[in-house]
PDB file of all heavy atoms in Angstrom:
ATOM      1  N   TYR A  54     115.645  73.656  94.782  1.00  0.00           N
ATOM      2  CA  TYR A  54     115.425  74.571  93.652  1.00  0.00           C
ATOM      3  C   TYR A  54     114.640  75.789  94.106  1.00  0.00           C
ATOM      4  O   TYR A  54     113.624  75.657  94.797  1.00  0.00           O
ATOM      5  CB  TYR A  54     114.670  73.862  92.523  1.00  0.00           C
ATOM      6  CG  TYR A  54     115.408  72.666  91.974  1.00  0.00           C
ATOM      7  CD1 TYR A  54     114.983  71.375  92.277  1.00  0.00           C
ATOM      8  CD2 TYR A  54     116.532  72.831  91.164  1.00  0.00           C
ATOM      9  CE1 TYR A  54     115.658  70.266  91.775  1.00  0.00           C
ATOM     10  CE2 TYR A  54     117.219  71.730  90.671  1.00  0.00           C
ATOM     11  CZ  TYR A  54     116.779  70.450  90.975  1.00  0.00           C
ATOM     12  OH  TYR A  54     117.462  69.354  90.497  1.00  0.00           O
ATOM     13  N   GLN A  55     115.114  76.966  93.710  1.00  0.00           N
ATOM     14  CA  GLN A  55     114.459  78.204  94.109  1.00  0.00           C
ATOM     15  C   GLN A  55     113.189  78.442  93.281  1.00  0.00           C
ATOM     16  O   GLN A  55     113.157  78.137  92.083  1.00  0.00           O
ATOM     17  CB  GLN A  55     115.408  79.389  93.947  1.00  0.00           C
ATOM     18  CG  GLN A  55     116.542  79.403  94.965  1.00  0.00           C
ATOM     19  CD  GLN A  55     116.045  79.462  96.394  1.00  0.00           C
ATOM     20  OE1 GLN A  55     115.232  80.314  96.756  1.00  0.00           O
ATOM     21  NE2 GLN A  55     116.521  78.539  97.220  1.00  0.00           N
ATOM     22  N   PRO A  56     112.147  79.007  93.912  1.00  0.00           N
ATOM     23  CA  PRO A  56     110.897  79.285  93.182  1.00  0.00           C
ATOM     24  C   PRO A  56     111.017  80.522  92.311  1.00  0.00           C
ATOM     25  O   PRO A  56     112.027  81.232  92.344  1.00  0.00           O
ATOM     26  CB  PRO A  56     109.894  79.510  94.313  1.00  0.00           C
ATOM     27  CG  PRO A  56     110.729  80.091  95.418  1.00  0.00           C
ATOM     28  CD  PRO A  56     112.071  79.397  95.313  1.00  0.00           C
ATOM     29  N   ARG A  57     109.979  80.785  91.553  1.00  0.00           N
ATOM     30  CA  ARG A  57     109.919  81.973  90.711  1.00  0.00           C
ATOM     31  C   ARG A  57     109.919  83.238  91.566  1.00  0.00           C
ATOM     32  O   ARG A  57     109.481  83.216  92.722  1.00  0.00           O
ATOM     33  CB  ARG A  57     108.633  81.946  89.868  1.00  0.00           C
ATOM     34  CG  ARG A  57     107.376  81.973  90.733  1.00  0.00           C
ATOM     35  CD  ARG A  57     106.109  81.963  89.930  1.00  0.00           C
ATOM     36  NE  ARG A  57     104.940  81.825  90.780  1.00  0.00           N
ATOM     37  CZ  ARG A  57     104.353  82.814  91.426  1.00  0.00           C
ATOM     38  NH1 ARG A  57     104.831  84.042  91.330  1.00  0.00           N
ATOM     39  NH2 ARG A  57     103.284  82.610  92.176  1.00  0.00           N
ATOM     40  N   GLN A  58     110.412  84.313  90.995  1.00  0.00           N
ATOM     41  CA  GLN A  58     110.316  85.616  91.645  1.00  0.00           C
ATOM     42  C   GLN A  58     108.988  86.277  91.251  1.00  0.00           C
ATOM     43  O   GLN A  58     108.394  85.942  90.214  1.00  0.00           O
ATOM     44  CB  GLN A  58     111.487  86.507  91.231  1.00  0.00           C
ATOM     45  CG  GLN A  58     112.835  86.004  91.700  1.00  0.00           C
ATOM     46  CD  GLN A  58     113.010  86.040  93.206  1.00  0.00           C
ATOM     47  OE1 GLN A  58     112.583  86.977  93.876  1.00  0.00           O
ATOM     48  NE2 GLN A  58     113.635  85.008  93.756  1.00  0.00           N
ATOM     49  N   ILE A  59     108.532  87.196  92.070  1.00  0.00           N
ATOM     50  CA  ILE A  59     107.294  87.922  91.779  1.00  0.00           C
ATOM     51  C   ILE A  59     107.636  89.124  90.908  1.00  0.00           C
ATOM     52  O   ILE A  59     108.272  90.072  91.360  1.00  0.00           O
ATOM     53  CB  ILE A  59     106.588  88.362  93.078  1.00  0.00           C
ATOM     54  CG1 ILE A  59     106.195  87.129  93.880  1.00  0.00           C
ATOM     55  CG2 ILE A  59     105.370  89.223  92.777  1.00  0.00           C
ATOM     56  CD1 ILE A  59     105.650  87.441  95.256  1.00  0.00           C
ATOM     57  N   ALA A  60     107.223  89.088  89.663  1.00  0.00           N
ATOM     58  CA  ALA A  60     107.597  90.122  88.688  1.00  0.00           C
ATOM     59  C   ALA A  60     106.556  91.235  88.653  1.00  0.00           C
ATOM     60  O   ALA A  60     105.741  91.320  87.745  1.00  0.00           O
ATOM     61  CB  ALA A  60     107.762  89.503  87.308  1.00  0.00           C
ATOM     62  N   ALA A  61     106.592  92.082  89.684  1.00  0.00           N
ATOM     63  CA  ALA A  61     105.633  93.194  89.742  1.00  0.00           C
ATOM     64  C   ALA A  61     106.318  94.547  89.603  1.00  0.00           C
ATOM     65  O   ALA A  61     105.654  95.575  89.529  1.00  0.00           O
ATOM     66  CB  ALA A  61     104.855  93.141  91.062  1.00  0.00           C
ATOM     67  N   GLY A  62     107.649  94.546  89.557  1.00  0.00           N
ATOM     68  CA  GLY A  62     108.398  95.800  89.561  1.00  0.00           C
ATOM     69  C   GLY A  62     108.076  96.735  88.414  1.00  0.00           C
ATOM     70  O   GLY A  62     107.838  97.927  88.611  1.00  0.00           O
ATOM     71  N   LEU A  63     108.068  96.196  87.201  1.00  0.00           N
ATOM     72  CA  LEU A  63     107.820  97.039  86.030  1.00  0.00           C
ATOM     73  C   LEU A  63     106.415  97.626  86.067  1.00  0.00           C
ATOM     74  O   LEU A  63     106.201  98.785  85.691  1.00  0.00           O
ATOM     75  CB  LEU A  63     108.028  96.229  84.747  1.00  0.00           C
ATOM     76  CG  LEU A  63     109.478  95.841  84.439  1.00  0.00           C
ATOM     77  CD1 LEU A  63     109.534  94.969  83.188  1.00  0.00           C
ATOM     78  CD2 LEU A  63     110.336  97.086  84.248  1.00  0.00           C
ATOM     79  N   LYS A  64     105.444  96.837  86.515  1.00  0.00           N
ATOM     80  CA  LYS A  64     104.070  97.319  86.598  1.00  0.00           C
ATOM     81  C   LYS A  64     103.957  98.463  87.602  1.00  0.00           C
ATOM     82  O   LYS A  64     103.315  99.484  87.336  1.00  0.00           O
ATOM     83  CB  LYS A  64     103.138  96.173  87.012  1.00  0.00           C
ATOM     84  CG  LYS A  64     101.671  96.585  87.067  1.00  0.00           C
ATOM     85  CD  LYS A  64     100.788  95.403  87.413  1.00  0.00           C
ATOM     86  CE  LYS A  64      99.318  95.817  87.460  1.00  0.00           C
ATOM     87  NZ  LYS A  64      98.433  94.685  87.796  1.00  0.00           N
ATOM     88  N   ILE A  65     104.611  98.315  88.745  1.00  0.00           N
ATOM     89  CA  ILE A  65     104.576  99.360  89.778  1.00  0.00           C
ATOM     90  C   ILE A  65     105.250 100.629  89.269  1.00  0.00           C
ATOM     91  O   ILE A  65     104.707 101.730  89.383  1.00  0.00           O
ATOM     92  CB  ILE A  65     105.266  98.874  91.068  1.00  0.00           C
ATOM     93  CG1 ILE A  65     104.404  97.787  91.736  1.00  0.00           C
ATOM     94  CG2 ILE A  65     105.491 100.030  92.044  1.00  0.00           C
ATOM     95  CD1 ILE A  65     105.072  97.122  92.907  1.00  0.00           C
ATOM     96  N   GLN A  66     106.447 100.476  88.698  1.00  0.00           N
ATOM     97  CA  GLN A  66     107.182 101.646  88.228  1.00  0.00           C
ATOM     98  C   GLN A  66     106.426 102.367  87.117  1.00  0.00           C
ATOM     99  O   GLN A  66     106.361 103.594  87.099  1.00  0.00           O
ATOM    100  CB  GLN A  66     108.568 101.216  87.739  1.00  0.00           C
ATOM    101  CG  GLN A  66     109.489 100.814  88.864  1.00  0.00           C
ATOM    102  CD  GLN A  66     110.903 100.561  88.385  1.00  0.00           C
ATOM    103  OE1 GLN A  66     111.278 100.924  87.278  1.00  0.00           O
ATOM    104  NE2 GLN A  66     111.701  99.925  89.212  1.00  0.00           N
TER     105      GLN A  66
END
Side-chain angles (χ1 to χ4, degrees):
Y54 300 106
Q55 289 300 308
R57 62 179 173 82
Q58 295 293 320
I59 298 173
L63 290 177
K64 182 177 180 180
I65 290 173
Q66 289 187 14

